[in-house]
Amino acid sequence: MNQAGYRLVTDLPDSMRPWRDRPVKWENASLTTGPYHLDANGVYMYYPDSGAGPYDHPVGQAQFGLGCIASYRTETDPARRQVFLTRARTQADRLIGQRVEARGGWWYRYPFDYANPQHPGVDYAAPWYSGMAQGEILSLYVQLAQLDTLSTADRDRYLEAADRTFASLQALDDGDPWAVNVDDAGHVWIQEYPGARPGAGDYTYNGMIFAMFGLYDYACATGSTPAAELHDACATTIARYFPLLRNTRWHSYYCQTHRVPAPTYHQHHINLMRQLHWQTGSPDFADMTDRLVDDFPAPGVSGTVAFEAGEHTLYRFDTAATGAWTAAGADAELQRKTVSFSQDTAAPTSMRRRIKGRGIHYLISAGPYTGWWAGESWSKAYLRGIHLTTIYRPARTVTFPGGNVPVAVYRVAADGTETGVKIAAFANPSNAPTDRRAIVNGRPMFQITAGGLTGYWVPASAVTIDSAPAVG
């Protein structure tokens, strides 16, 4: 199997470790309604609209349990904390009790039929298995085994379950069940949706990366060389096939087999690439994160748009009432008009997002131009403030051009106020470390963390980073 030598960063701060960013809210810790909710025993189950079931849902149980552990780690109320721990253990114990032992490992079956109409071939008769579930359940067992509030016997029991579950990810597609295969180019895949034939599957990106989090947790907890090597191989696969995941200037693709743009998964891909950067320390995945952010930034950004004096073209697009993308409307232009401001002005925006086939736009949310969109164009029209920050760990390196090319750098307050400006110019290319990237007053920028420019933001278009183009 192909390996590029991605090594695990085992000393990550707790907040950067897998699943810490997906806590279960207290109001969801005891759900009793909806298609996914707890049964009388506290087990997270699937209740189809048809009235059939309830059914075990291995990924749902693992994710709910991991979210409860994340909440347990940060909750300060003792009673709530105990509920979160109980919920997490209930899911793990249910999964252990429902396991299928095969091919030297533990497997977790889906006991209901499933078909995805957008993905021909993802059509399963129960029971079926998923590599995503195998990896996420591995994380659940490991994270429980790491809680020192549990008895030694319970921690040992969960660690044994982790050992048996990891064994399932060492089995290839030469038998059933299977979840891991090596493609014709020698790249390893953990299949969220393994096919009926060897090597057949959806080659789904998010499912594979979520499964990799289990490898990371297990390797860090046990020192397992095979787990670290499999994580390296999977990271190598993601890096190799990122150009197929990416859909330049639009939503990334859900899977390699069907290449369907996935609006609801694009932000997942951003977060997953960011975590792979932290887990490996490689700038490769940081660069992938940056590109996905620019392709289709998270639209949940609001604030104040600054407009320079002069003419501006405003648009109405065929979107949802909130301004969100809809396949039916497809962001078709409905109307445009030109307005002129005699002096610099501002307007509130409820959304910043890419319009299909166009650049980034702002939806004006109050005043005479409510419901109209304005295109982002620094310094003509831009969102004030610092938004969509990505933290780099370890720090990356930006390179200023030589030849005494002037580059303006900025000190910026949280509201976007410029508190300082410098012009940097170097006879030879000059390096500086950066620990983060953000959209600062409408432009991607890197913050410098050492030297005479410490604390200043440099526009990404003015520098290169880690010897790769910073934007594009």
Side-chain angles (χ1 to χ4, degrees), residues 137-416:
I137 293 166
L138 178 58
S139 272
L140 177 62
Y141 293 150
V142 171
Q143 292 196 24
L144 281 171
Q146 291 174 321
L147 299 180
D148 56 13
T149 50
L150 271 61
S151 69
T152 299
D154 282 334
R155 295 172 68 190
D156 288 346
R157 182 167 64 92
Y158 290 129
L159 189 56
E160 179 187 4
D163 292 338
R164 300 297 183 88
T165 302
F166 173 65
S168 72
L169 295 173
Q170 295 181 289
L172 295 178
D173 56 342
D174 54 354
D176 290 310
W178 68 273
V180 177
N181 71 288
V182 181
D183 68 19
D184 291 341
H187 290 93
V188 174
W189 291 86
I190 301 177
Q191 295 283 359
E192 180 176 353
Y193 298 110
R197 302 182 313 279
D202 216 33
Y203 291 82
T204 305
Y205 303 111
N206 86 90
M208 174 157 159
I209 300 174
F210 276 123
M212 290 171 64
F213 291 179
L215 300 177
Y216 175 85
D217 278 338
Y218 185 73
C220 289
T222 67
S224 167
T225 297
E229 290 179 345
L230 184 55
H231 188 280
D232 175 16
C234 291
T236 302
T237 300
I238 293 297
R240 162 62 182 84
Y241 290 106
F242 177 75
L244 295 181
L245 177 154
R246 188 185 181 201
N247 185 13
T248 304
R249 294 180 178 83
W250 198 236
H251 309 121
S252 48
Y253 294 109
Y254 178 78
C255 70
Q256 183 171 305
T257 298
H258 299 98
R259 295 181 60 74
V260 176
T264 57
Y265 280 86
H266 184 80
Q267 189 59 45
H268 284 313
H269 290 157
I270 291 172
N271 294 336
L272 293 171
M273 293 301 173
R274 183 180 291 126
Q275 291 207 5
L276 286 185
H277 165 56
W278 294 339
Q279 290 176 22
T280 64
S282 172
D284 295 351
F285 299 104
D287 187 66
M288 295 173 204
T289 303
D290 296 342
R291 292 176 188 275
L292 293 179
V293 167
D294 290 344
D295 284 339
F296 195 91
V301 172
S302 59
T304 301
V305 179
F307 290 94
E308 279 187 343
E311 289 191 348
H312 296 262
T313 302
L314 304 181
Y315 303 88
R316 288 192 186 276
F317 298 114
D318 194 348
T319 70
T322 61
W325 154 263
T326 67
D331 286 348
E333 183 180 321
L334 302 176
Q335 191 178 357
R336 72 168 65 186
K337 67 178 176 180
T338 300
V339 298
S340 183
F341 303 128
S342 60
Q343 60 185 14
D344 292 352
T345 189
T349 178
S350 59
M351 181 173 290
R352 173 188 184 268
R353 79 165 175 91
R354 183 175 296 280
I355 298 298
K356 186 168 179 59
R358 302 173 185 250
I360 304 297
H361 284 65
Y362 304 113
L363 179 61
I364 299 173
S365 57
Y369 304 114
T370 299
W372 290 84
W373 294 83
E376 179 176 272
S377 177
W378 189 88
S379 62
K380 189 175 181 180
Y382 61 89
L383 180 66
R384 293 174 178 165
I386 301 171
H387 303 277
L388 302 179
T389 300
T390 289
I391 302 297
Y392 298 138
R393 189 181 192 277
R396 302 178 71 187
T397 300
V398 296
T399 301
F400 287 80
N404 292 311
V405 174
V407 175
V409 297
Y410 307 85
R411 279 193 179 275
V412 181
D415 65 359

Side-chain angles (χ1 to χ4, degrees), residues 51-80:
Y55 297 115
D56 283 288
H57 193 290
V59 159
Q61 290 164 349
Q63 291 188 356
F64 182 72
L66 286 160
C68 286
I69 295 174
S71 298
Y72 169 81
R73 293 178 188 277
T74 58
E75 178 60 61
T76 57
D77 180 86
R80 291 187 176 188

